[in-house]
Amino acid sequence: MSLAYTAVALQTRCFAINKLNVADARQKMIKNIRTVAGQVQGTKGFVGPSVKLVVLPEYFLTSFPLGESLSEWKEKGAIAQNGKEYDLLSEIAQKNNIYLSGNVYELDPHFRDLYFQTSFILGPNGDCVLRYRRLVSMFAPTPHDVLDKYLDVYGQDALFPVAKTELGNLACVASEEILYPEISRCLTMNGAEVLLHSSSEVGSVELTPKDIAKRARAVENLAYVVSANSAGIADIDFPAESTDGMSKLVDFRGRVMAEAGMGESMVANAELDITALRRYRNKPGMGNILSRQRNELFSAHYNQAVYPANTMLNAAQQVNVPERSHFIQTQLNSIQALKKAGVILPEQSDE
């Protein structure tokens, strides 16, 4: 029996909460969810009952912190795992009989001083079937920043989770993480067949780094990529249409199946044929890249630390909440270490 269904990368506008107090921000988040609810229902009604998977863009709930400290954003923009926001999102999945994926800032009872940027998948029954914490971020805490304690709490399997569902094996990649091939490869080695990519990225008539990466991740992992970009970000001191357009679905051979233009759109929808993907993965030949990996060759290089782990933990495994300057300084330290190792050369010769 063939397994195929329609997936949608819903390109919806994001409405920022930055200029609001905590109470008003919470109300706006609820309003944002209700807007998405209407769009999901309308999209399924128009595209048809074959729609079984909808991916929302990054920042659909809150936008992103623009100058707020980690503590300020935790109070204003992060949601609880059992909070009202998730209940309303679960209603969307149930009402439309779909799997719903997106990305939010989320609280964690084991790390009360921090938040994590979390990609989720909610099933048609409303249950959360996958929770993935973004591992690479420029200005947000990640499990890597508190790695030892995170592994003690959740274990290694929590870093690269894959949900085995009737739609195939689903996994999430957050935003710029599409640029890090190791993340998608780890998810694929854990069984992922469809990579759900919530993003808020530069809209351009030219190929962008993320846009190239979507095709590359699909080819090298023989996986579908469903990538939802924001249709601009409103109510923030930021040119609204800077992050717009280019939501797309890419098949397991790197071909773009559907792509949205600028503005709010459901145009990025296409059929994912999981049976065809599995048939291709089972067929020997040069194109079966997934089966031709030689991981032993690379292990020594990947054991070399670049951006250090545990920078938000002290010796007693207590969390230190840093200023935002911490992120730039840590990166500068990494650059210096790479220069010392000869990986990065000076801008100008000393001669």
Side-chain angles (χ1 to χ4, degrees):
M1 183 177 178
S2 179
L3 173 55
Y5 57 89
T6 299
V8 179
L10 186 63
Q11 191 165 284
T12 185
R13 196 165 183 83
C14 302
F15 296 92
I17 65 170
N18 303 70
K19 296 182 178 181
L20 304 177
N21 60 38
V22 172
D24 289 343
R26 295 289 162 181
Q27 290 301 311
K28 190 165 189 177
M29 290 159 69
I30 300 302
K31 182 179 179 181
N32 290 343
I33 294 173
R34 296 197 189 284
T35 297
V36 166
Q39 293 182 344
V40 169
Q41 184 175 357
T43 296
K44 180 156 186 174
F46 187 86
V47 177
S50 64
V51 172
K52 299 297 182 183
L53 172 64
V54 175
V55 180
L56 304 175
E58 183 186 28
Y59 306 145
F60 79 92
L61 187 63
T62 59
S63 185
F64 60 94
L66 189 64
E68 291 92 347
S69 68
L70 296 187
S71 297
E72 289 171 336
W73 194 254
K74 182 175 75 74
E75 293 299 318
K76 180 187 288 189
I79 65 174
Q81 295 178 24
N82 58 353
K84 181 178 180 180
E85 297 85 2
Y86 269 123
D87 288 342
L88 292 173
L89 290 166
S90 294
E91 287 179 14
I92 298 173
Q94 293 176 75
K95 185 174 182 179
N96 295 281
N97 192 32
I98 60 169
Y99 282 83
L100 180 69
S101 182
N103 184 278
V104 296
Y105 294 96
E106 184 182 76
L107 301 171
D108 187 315
H110 298 286
F111 298 88
R112 295 186 180 278
D113 295 324
L114 300 177
Y115 56 80
F116 295 114
Q117 198 174 352
T118 300
S119 293
F120 62 82
I121 303 176
L122 304 174
N125 63 357
D127 291 346
C128 184
V129 300
L130 183 141
R131 176 170 276 112
Y132 166 77
R133 266 64 184 275
R134 180 173 173 174
L135 298 171
V136 177
S137 179
M138 186 69 193
F139 292 113
T142 76
H144 183 255
D145 296 313
V146 290
L147 185 60
D148 288 349
K149 183 175 180 179
Y150 197 89
L151 292 177
D152 285 346
V153 173
Y154 292 110
Q156 184 73 32
D157 291 345
L159 294 180
F160 301 102
V162 175
K164 297 181 179 180
T165 78
E166 65 269 31
L167 301 187
N169 295 347
L170 311 179
C172 292
V173 180
S175 191
E176 67 165 344
E177 288 188 326
I178 201 74
L179 298 172
Y180 293 82
E182 299 83 1
I183 292 174
S184 295
R185 178 53 54 85
C186 286
L187 292 167
T188 301
M189 293 305 293
N190 282 345
E193 298 172 311
V194 185
L195 301 175
L196 312 183
H197 180 228
S198 293
S199 186
S200 183
E201 61 190 69
V202 172
S204 174
V205 295
E206 303 291 339
L207 279 173
T208 64
K210 279 189 180 181
D211 212 40
I212 294 168
K214 295 169 192 178
R215 295 163 167 83
R217 300 297 85 83
V219 170
E220 64 202 18
N221 294 297
L222 301 183
Y224 285 105
V225 174
V226 183
S227 178
N229 190 21
S230 53
I233 302 177
D235 304 330
I236 193 173
D237 294 329
F238 179 88
E241 273 67 51
S242 296
T243 60
D244 199 349
M246 304 174 73
S247 297
K248 59 173 49 63
L249 292 86
V250 186
D251 76 6
F252 53 88
R253 300 187 70 177
R255 297 174 293 200
V256 175
M257 305 167 70
E259 179 174 357
M262 301 287 278
E264 294 195 307
S265 177
M266 60 181 175
V267 166
N269 72 82
E271 183 180 77
L272 306 190
D273 189 338
I274 304 301
T275 300
L277 178 151
R278 292 173 179 173
R279 185 185 308 120
Y280 196 90
R281 284 184 171 187
N282 275 278
K283 184 172 61 177
M286 290 187 67
N288 194 337
I289 297 171
L290 191 57
S291 65
R292 297 176 61 213
Q293 301 174 74
R294 306 191 183 206
N295 291 342
E296 298 85 354
L297 295 172
F298 317 125
S299 60
H301 285 82
Y302 280 117
N303 281 330
Q304 300 177 48
V306 178
Y307 190 103
N310 298 311
T311 61
M312 295 185 192
L313 283 183
N314 62 23
Q317 286 203 336
Q318 296 172 324
V319 174
N320 295 320
V321 181
E323 300 294 328
R324 287 208 174 271
S325 58
H326 160 86
F327 299 101
I328 289 292
Q329 188 56 56
T330 304
Q331 187 181 23
L332 287 171
N333 294 343
S334 297
I335 291 171
Q336 288 302 315
L338 289 170
K339 289 172 68 175
K340 186 175 181 180
V343 177
I344 295 177
L345 298 180
E347 296 177 50
Q348 295 180 341
S349 172
D350 294 332
E351 297 180 0

